[in-house]
Amino acid sequence: MEHIKPPSFPGSTNRDCGALITPVPMIKYITTLLTLLAVPACAAVVREYSLNLTASYLAPNGFYREMFLVNGQHPGPLIEADEGDTISATVHNNLQVPMTIHFHGIHQLGTPWMDGAPGVSQRSIFPGESFVYNFTTVGQYGSYWYHAHVRSYYQDGIRGPVYIRPANDRPRPYDMITEGNATATSILRALESNPTPLYIMDWNKLTSDAIYYKEVTYGIDPACIFGYLINGKGRVTCPTNEAITAAGARRLETFQNATGIRSSFDSLGCLDLSAVNGYPGIDNVALEAPGFSTPCQATNTDREIFYANEADWMMFNVVNMAGGFASYLSIDGHDMWVLQVDGTFTQPQKVKQLYVGLGSRYIIAVPTVKGNGDFAIRFACSEVAQVTEQIAWLSYNAPTASQPVDYPVTSDVYQDMGGNLYDPDNTPTFNETAAAPYEESLKPPQGPAQHTIHFTLNRTAVVSFSLMDGGALMPIEMELMTPLLWADDVSHPTTVDIGIKTGDVVDLIIDNIDPVILHPMHLHGHSFWVVSESNVEHFGYSTVEEAIANGSSKINLNNPPYRDGYGAAPRGHVVFRYIADNAGAWMFHCHINMHLMTGMSAVILEDRAAIRPKIPSSVIDF
């Protein structure tokens, strides 16, 4: 539940905000925020939330299992604010496991101790304890999300959305898609205040702890899921093996080219990985290893339904809250305009298929087609390891308690259950590389970086994943250690302490040497520019400047994407550039949860000496 902090003096209506506001009664604090980004004074509102974490036993896709809830629901409730507001979220841990909450994509500017990374920025919240997260949204707007950052507990249900409405003076690209139609532009501005939630999340038969113990005990990388949920709803369908094999043909070819092994799919669309996965001699069938799932059993649980209600446009807040896979999204018979990515307005792209990266967020506008009928909203797994999809419905019919018939035969379906396009030559898809910020001023700093850090993404053992050049692993026990933000001893093979100071430019060069796995990399505390990428080759240079001097065509310092998470393709590379404008200790990790849990993470220290004296004693002593 949200509470606006009671005013100490009457609120006022300000034409820059268009709403009754309550200024924070701390003049010095307001002055600090105004100085940071010249935000209108009306933005200084404290929005208070209470998040109660509990356990239950439910069946969101028709199969019962233990799961975690936030305020009695999954996904958790929306945390919303206006750009410049302060958010105060009190977390009550009524579970039997330790917990922290990470506000994914929120920079935590000036409050790195609120980042929610256990052993890095805070101590865990143990059962029966409560912790208050206070942070500003100054300079940030759009779509974010919150999730557990202890082990993989967000895949058990501790996840939910965060939405920050942009300030009125924030430039928007709406006129570009409405061609200057004032009525249509005003409709989009109205929809922007409360976009329709469209959250994709993975779901498993077992709890994340059980999956982890099976992984480390038997060497089984849990490369498959039980299925997807959309806004917490979904059902299990059981396509024929012929249909799965047809949709997964390219996956089979990719796997064979990388490993020399011809594999097959089980009834859940899970690729048989036994030749490269699991310790020798294990019972794959009894353990339900990838490729050996128990026979699929269909369910008839409700899917999510969205009603158009005669609207000319719909606006969706698309968030990938999964812990394992990226997805392909399409809406039968509809175009999608991509307007924001990772909390930044971008140059609009009109597409029929959108790649939804793990942990990433997108604001899309959909022009409606009117008439009657139901249209499938399709999320298909994009990864080699599995062919699976989940659908919701966009309905032009009157609201009803009954569910539409699954998979109607129509001529306007753009992708199959594997995300393969039926007509690729005439189906525009989202181009991540071209998703430059709409605000032209949001460009990367030119010239040489003060620091260059190289990472190598590598599967160092059957169930060990590293991003350090030497193969070092971040131990899961680090979650219970004194946080690196204020620890006296920060020496560890996965800690990067190279003297980064406030204002420095930092380049991260990431080479992925894995032949099959795309690793979605997420940086805490910052957004970054993707200044180089390739799906087929490593970077090959020690610095960006060396690449430029040697005439590399991959470097883009003019109009690169601006993200906080981005995928490094198998046998490819990415280079991220960011400004060290936020002193702290910041995690950099793969967002495939089981890879993170088995070592694929680092901590980058940034001007830690400057921030340590500012850490509240209540945080250190917690």
Side-chain angles (χ1 to χ4, degrees), residues 474-495:
M474 179 177 285
I476 195 171
E477 296 79 15
M478 194 166 182
E479 293 180 341
L480 300 177
M481 296 179 182
T482 301
L484 291 173
L485 185 61
W486 65 83
D488 293 328
D489 182 7
V490 297
S491 60
H492 188 274
T494 59
T495 300

PDB file of all heavy atoms in Angstrom, residues 474-495:
ATOM      1  N   MET A 474      32.543 -15.690  -7.550  1.00  0.00           N
ATOM      2  CA  MET A 474      32.047 -15.054  -6.342  1.00  0.00           C
ATOM      3  C   MET A 474      31.287 -16.095  -5.529  1.00  0.00           C
ATOM      4  O   MET A 474      30.284 -16.637  -5.997  1.00  0.00           O
ATOM      5  CB  MET A 474      31.138 -13.869  -6.653  1.00  0.00           C
ATOM      6  CG  MET A 474      30.593 -13.197  -5.394  1.00  0.00           C
ATOM      7  SD  MET A 474      29.578 -11.745  -5.726  1.00  0.00           S
ATOM      8  CE  MET A 474      30.852 -10.565  -6.143  1.00  0.00           C
ATOM      9  N   PRO A 475      31.725 -16.399  -4.305  1.00  0.00           N
ATOM     10  CA  PRO A 475      31.056 -17.454  -3.522  1.00  0.00           C
ATOM     11  C   PRO A 475      29.688 -16.997  -3.050  1.00  0.00           C
ATOM     12  O   PRO A 475      29.492 -15.831  -2.689  1.00  0.00           O
ATOM     13  CB  PRO A 475      32.015 -17.666  -2.350  1.00  0.00           C
ATOM     14  CG  PRO A 475      32.727 -16.360  -2.197  1.00  0.00           C
ATOM     15  CD  PRO A 475      32.865 -15.798  -3.580  1.00  0.00           C
ATOM     16  N   ILE A 476      28.738 -17.920  -3.025  1.00  0.00           N
ATOM     17  CA  ILE A 476      27.401 -17.582  -2.570  1.00  0.00           C
ATOM     18  C   ILE A 476      27.403 -17.182  -1.096  1.00  0.00           C
ATOM     19  O   ILE A 476      26.552 -16.416  -0.635  1.00  0.00           O
ATOM     20  CB  ILE A 476      26.433 -18.752  -2.845  1.00  0.00           C
ATOM     21  CG1 ILE A 476      24.975 -18.281  -2.716  1.00  0.00           C
ATOM     22  CG2 ILE A 476      26.723 -19.931  -1.915  1.00  0.00           C
ATOM     23  CD1 ILE A 476      23.975 -19.308  -3.191  1.00  0.00           C
ATOM     24  N   GLU A 477      28.399 -17.654  -0.349  1.00  0.00           N
ATOM     25  CA  GLU A 477      28.494 -17.298   1.078  1.00  0.00           C
ATOM     26  C   GLU A 477      28.761 -15.813   1.289  1.00  0.00           C
ATOM     27  O   GLU A 477      28.591 -15.301   2.390  1.00  0.00           O
ATOM     28  CB  GLU A 477      29.611 -18.112   1.740  1.00  0.00           C
ATOM     29  CG  GLU A 477      29.379 -19.616   1.766  1.00  0.00           C
ATOM     30  CD  GLU A 477      29.695 -20.289   0.446  1.00  0.00           C
ATOM     31  OE1 GLU A 477      30.354 -19.645  -0.402  1.00  0.00           O
ATOM     32  OE2 GLU A 477      29.269 -21.446   0.258  1.00  0.00           O
ATOM     33  N   MET A 478      29.170 -15.132   0.235  1.00  0.00           N
ATOM     34  CA  MET A 478      29.446 -13.704   0.348  1.00  0.00           C
ATOM     35  C   MET A 478      28.204 -12.925   0.762  1.00  0.00           C
ATOM     36  O   MET A 478      28.296 -11.841   1.328  1.00  0.00           O
ATOM     37  CB  MET A 478      29.977 -13.167  -0.981  1.00  0.00           C
ATOM     38  CG  MET A 478      30.609 -11.798  -0.895  1.00  0.00           C
ATOM     39  SD  MET A 478      31.552 -11.450  -2.394  1.00  0.00           S
ATOM     40  CE  MET A 478      32.193  -9.838  -1.972  1.00  0.00           C
ATOM     41  N   GLU A 479      27.023 -13.493   0.494  1.00  0.00           N
ATOM     42  CA  GLU A 479      25.775 -12.827   0.871  1.00  0.00           C
ATOM     43  C   GLU A 479      25.690 -12.588   2.382  1.00  0.00           C
ATOM     44  O   GLU A 479      24.958 -11.701   2.833  1.00  0.00           O
ATOM     45  CB  GLU A 479      24.575 -13.662   0.424  1.00  0.00           C
ATOM     46  CG  GLU A 479      24.435 -13.757  -1.096  1.00  0.00           C
ATOM     47  CD  GLU A 479      23.235 -14.578  -1.522  1.00  0.00           C
ATOM     48  OE1 GLU A 479      22.719 -15.378  -0.691  1.00  0.00           O
ATOM     49  OE2 GLU A 479      22.804 -14.444  -2.672  1.00  0.00           O
ATOM     50  N   LEU A 480      26.409 -13.375   3.177  1.00  0.00           N
ATOM     51  CA  LEU A 480      26.336 -13.272   4.633  1.00  0.00           C
ATOM     52  C   LEU A 480      27.551 -12.562   5.229  1.00  0.00           C
ATOM     53  O   LEU A 480      27.668 -12.457   6.454  1.00  0.00           O
ATOM     54  CB  LEU A 480      26.202 -14.666   5.244  1.00  0.00           C
ATOM     55  CG  LEU A 480      24.963 -15.458   4.807  1.00  0.00           C
ATOM     56  CD1 LEU A 480      24.983 -16.855   5.415  1.00  0.00           C
ATOM     57  CD2 LEU A 480      23.680 -14.727   5.202  1.00  0.00           C
ATOM     58  N   MET A 481      28.448 -12.048   4.374  1.00  0.00           N
ATOM     59  CA  MET A 481      29.644 -11.376   4.870  1.00  0.00           C
ATOM     60  C   MET A 481      29.379  -9.893   5.129  1.00  0.00           C
ATOM     61  O   MET A 481      28.347  -9.348   4.730  1.00  0.00           O
ATOM     62  CB  MET A 481      30.779 -11.542   3.854  1.00  0.00           C
ATOM     63  CG  MET A 481      31.222 -12.985   3.650  1.00  0.00           C
ATOM     64  SD  MET A 481      32.549 -13.102   2.406  1.00  0.00           S
ATOM     65  CE  MET A 481      32.799 -14.874   2.332  1.00  0.00           C
ATOM     66  N   THR A 482      30.329  -9.242   5.806  1.00  0.00           N
ATOM     67  CA  THR A 482      30.237  -7.799   5.997  1.00  0.00           C
ATOM     68  C   THR A 482      30.233  -7.133   4.630  1.00  0.00           C
ATOM     69  O   THR A 482      31.106  -7.399   3.802  1.00  0.00           O
ATOM     70  CB  THR A 482      31.425  -7.268   6.812  1.00  0.00           C
ATOM     71  OG1 THR A 482      31.432  -7.921   8.082  1.00  0.00           O
ATOM     72  CG2 THR A 482      31.330  -5.769   7.002  1.00  0.00           C
ATOM     73  N   PRO A 483      29.266  -6.272   4.349  1.00  0.00           N
ATOM     74  CA  PRO A 483      29.162  -5.674   3.008  1.00  0.00           C
ATOM     75  C   PRO A 483      30.433  -4.944   2.588  1.00  0.00           C
ATOM     76  O   PRO A 483      31.051  -4.217   3.376  1.00  0.00           O
ATOM     77  CB  PRO A 483      27.978  -4.721   3.149  1.00  0.00           C
ATOM     78  CG  PRO A 483      27.125  -5.352   4.215  1.00  0.00           C
ATOM     79  CD  PRO A 483      28.101  -5.931   5.193  1.00  0.00           C
ATOM     80  N   LEU A 484      30.814  -5.132   1.345  1.00  0.00           N
ATOM     81  CA  LEU A 484      32.030  -4.523   0.816  1.00  0.00           C
ATOM     82  C   LEU A 484      31.964  -3.001   0.825  1.00  0.00           C
ATOM     83  O   LEU A 484      33.003  -2.341   0.798  1.00  0.00           O
ATOM     84  CB  LEU A 484      32.274  -5.011  -0.616  1.00  0.00           C
ATOM     85  CG  LEU A 484      32.654  -6.481  -0.774  1.00  0.00           C
ATOM     86  CD1 LEU A 484      32.690  -6.863  -2.258  1.00  0.00           C
ATOM     87  CD2 LEU A 484      34.001  -6.762  -0.127  1.00  0.00           C
ATOM     88  N   LEU A 485      30.766  -2.440   0.861  1.00  0.00           N
ATOM     89  CA  LEU A 485      30.628  -0.987   0.861  1.00  0.00           C
ATOM     90  C   LEU A 485      31.344  -0.353   2.042  1.00  0.00           C
ATOM     91  O   LEU A 485      31.882   0.751   1.927  1.00  0.00           O
ATOM     92  CB  LEU A 485      29.143  -0.601   0.859  1.00  0.00           C
ATOM     93  CG  LEU A 485      28.813   0.882   0.746  1.00  0.00           C
ATOM     94  CD1 LEU A 485      29.346   1.468  -0.553  1.00  0.00           C
ATOM     95  CD2 LEU A 485      27.312   1.108   0.860  1.00  0.00           C
ATOM     96  N   TRP A 486      31.390  -1.055   3.180  1.00  0.00           N
ATOM     97  CA  TRP A 486      32.083  -0.499   4.342  1.00  0.00           C
ATOM     98  C   TRP A 486      33.035  -1.487   5.022  1.00  0.00           C
ATOM     99  O   TRP A 486      33.619  -1.190   6.064  1.00  0.00           O
ATOM    100  CB  TRP A 486      31.090   0.050   5.359  1.00  0.00           C
ATOM    101  CG  TRP A 486      30.185  -0.964   6.004  1.00  0.00           C
ATOM    102  CD1 TRP A 486      30.455  -1.766   7.076  1.00  0.00           C
ATOM    103  CD2 TRP A 486      28.823  -1.261   5.650  1.00  0.00           C
ATOM    104  NE1 TRP A 486      29.380  -2.540   7.401  1.00  0.00           N
ATOM    105  CE2 TRP A 486      28.350  -2.238   6.548  1.00  0.00           C
ATOM    106  CE3 TRP A 486      27.958  -0.782   4.662  1.00  0.00           C
ATOM    107  CZ2 TRP A 486      27.053  -2.746   6.469  1.00  0.00           C
ATOM    108  CZ3 TRP A 486      26.670  -1.288   4.584  1.00  0.00           C
ATOM    109  CH2 TRP A 486      26.235  -2.263   5.488  1.00  0.00           C
ATOM    110  N   ALA A 487      33.239  -2.668   4.446  1.00  0.00           N
ATOM    111  CA  ALA A 487      34.146  -3.643   5.050  1.00  0.00           C
ATOM    112  C   ALA A 487      35.586  -3.110   5.064  1.00  0.00           C
ATOM    113  O   ALA A 487      36.002  -2.375   4.162  1.00  0.00           O
ATOM    114  CB  ALA A 487      34.082  -4.955   4.284  1.00  0.00           C
ATOM    115  N   ASP A 488      36.333  -3.484   6.095  1.00  0.00           N
ATOM    116  CA  ASP A 488      37.745  -3.087   6.161  1.00  0.00           C
ATOM    117  C   ASP A 488      38.581  -3.838   5.125  1.00  0.00           C
ATOM    118  O   ASP A 488      39.521  -3.289   4.551  1.00  0.00           O
ATOM    119  CB  ASP A 488      38.302  -3.331   7.563  1.00  0.00           C
ATOM    120  CG  ASP A 488      37.660  -2.414   8.607  1.00  0.00           C
ATOM    121  OD1 ASP A 488      37.298  -1.285   8.248  1.00  0.00           O
ATOM    122  OD2 ASP A 488      37.514  -2.853   9.760  1.00  0.00           O
ATOM    123  N   ASP A 489      38.231  -5.093   4.896  1.00  0.00           N
ATOM    124  CA  ASP A 489      38.978  -5.915   3.949  1.00  0.00           C
ATOM    125  C   ASP A 489      38.106  -6.165   2.714  1.00  0.00           C
ATOM    126  O   ASP A 489      37.089  -6.835   2.797  1.00  0.00           O
ATOM    127  CB  ASP A 489      39.367  -7.246   4.599  1.00  0.00           C
ATOM    128  CG  ASP A 489      40.190  -8.136   3.669  1.00  0.00           C
ATOM    129  OD1 ASP A 489      40.574  -7.662   2.579  1.00  0.00           O
ATOM    130  OD2 ASP A 489      40.437  -9.302   4.031  1.00  0.00           O
ATOM    131  N   VAL A 490      38.515  -5.596   1.589  1.00  0.00           N
ATOM    132  CA  VAL A 490      37.739  -5.766   0.363  1.00  0.00           C
ATOM    133  C   VAL A 490      38.480  -6.645  -0.648  1.00  0.00           C
ATOM    134  O   VAL A 490      38.051  -6.771  -1.798  1.00  0.00           O
ATOM    135  CB  VAL A 490      37.418  -4.403  -0.283  1.00  0.00           C
ATOM    136  CG1 VAL A 490      36.545  -3.574   0.639  1.00  0.00           C
ATOM    137  CG2 VAL A 490      38.692  -3.661  -0.656  1.00  0.00           C
ATOM    138  N   SER A 491      39.561  -7.248  -0.223  1.00  0.00           N
ATOM    139  CA  SER A 491      40.347  -8.064  -1.144  1.00  0.00           C
ATOM    140  C   SER A 491      39.620  -9.366  -1.448  1.00  0.00           C
ATOM    141  O   SER A 491      39.290 -10.142  -0.551  1.00  0.00           O
ATOM    142  CB  SER A 491      41.723  -8.356  -0.556  1.00  0.00           C
ATOM    143  OG  SER A 491      41.603  -9.050   0.676  1.00  0.00           O
ATOM    144  N   HIS A 492      39.363  -9.593  -2.701  1.00  0.00           N
ATOM    145  CA  HIS A 492      38.756 -10.833  -3.169  1.00  0.00           C
ATOM    146  C   HIS A 492      38.977 -10.895  -4.670  1.00  0.00           C
ATOM    147  O   HIS A 492      38.971  -9.851  -5.349  1.00  0.00           O
ATOM    148  CB  HIS A 492      37.260 -10.894  -2.851  1.00  0.00           C
ATOM    149  CG  HIS A 492      36.656 -12.236  -3.138  1.00  0.00           C
ATOM    150  ND1 HIS A 492      36.178 -12.587  -4.384  1.00  0.00           N
ATOM    151  CD2 HIS A 492      36.477 -13.330  -2.349  1.00  0.00           C
ATOM    152  CE1 HIS A 492      35.735 -13.834  -4.347  1.00  0.00           C
ATOM    153  NE2 HIS A 492      35.901 -14.302  -3.134  1.00  0.00           N
ATOM    154  N   PRO A 493      39.171 -12.062  -5.232  1.00  0.00           N
ATOM    155  CA  PRO A 493      39.429 -12.153  -6.677  1.00  0.00           C
ATOM    156  C   PRO A 493      38.331 -11.580  -7.563  1.00  0.00           C
ATOM    157  O   PRO A 493      38.579 -11.285  -8.736  1.00  0.00           O
ATOM    158  CB  PRO A 493      39.591 -13.659  -6.906  1.00  0.00           C
ATOM    159  CG  PRO A 493      40.015 -14.212  -5.592  1.00  0.00           C
ATOM    160  CD  PRO A 493      39.320 -13.371  -4.569  1.00  0.00           C
ATOM    161  N   THR A 494      37.103 -11.419  -7.019  1.00  0.00           N
ATOM    162  CA  THR A 494      36.022 -10.863  -7.836  1.00  0.00           C
ATOM    163  C   THR A 494      35.716  -9.410  -7.486  1.00  0.00           C
ATOM    164  O   THR A 494      34.716  -8.868  -7.959  1.00  0.00           O
ATOM    165  CB  THR A 494      34.741 -11.707  -7.689  1.00  0.00           C
ATOM    166  OG1 THR A 494      34.340 -11.730  -6.314  1.00  0.00           O
ATOM    167  CG2 THR A 494      34.963 -13.121  -8.183  1.00  0.00           C
ATOM    168  N   THR A 495      36.564  -8.784  -6.687  1.00  0.00           N
ATOM    169  CA  THR A 495      36.419  -7.361  -6.384  1.00  0.00           C
ATOM    170  C   THR A 495      37.358  -6.558  -7.274  1.00  0.00           C
ATOM    171  O   THR A 495      38.559  -6.829  -7.326  1.00  0.00           O
ATOM    172  CB  THR A 495      36.736  -7.068  -4.907  1.00  0.00           C
ATOM    173  OG1 THR A 495      35.831  -7.811  -4.076  1.00  0.00           O
ATOM    174  CG2 THR A 495      36.572  -5.582  -4.608  1.00  0.00           C
TER     175      THR A 495
END
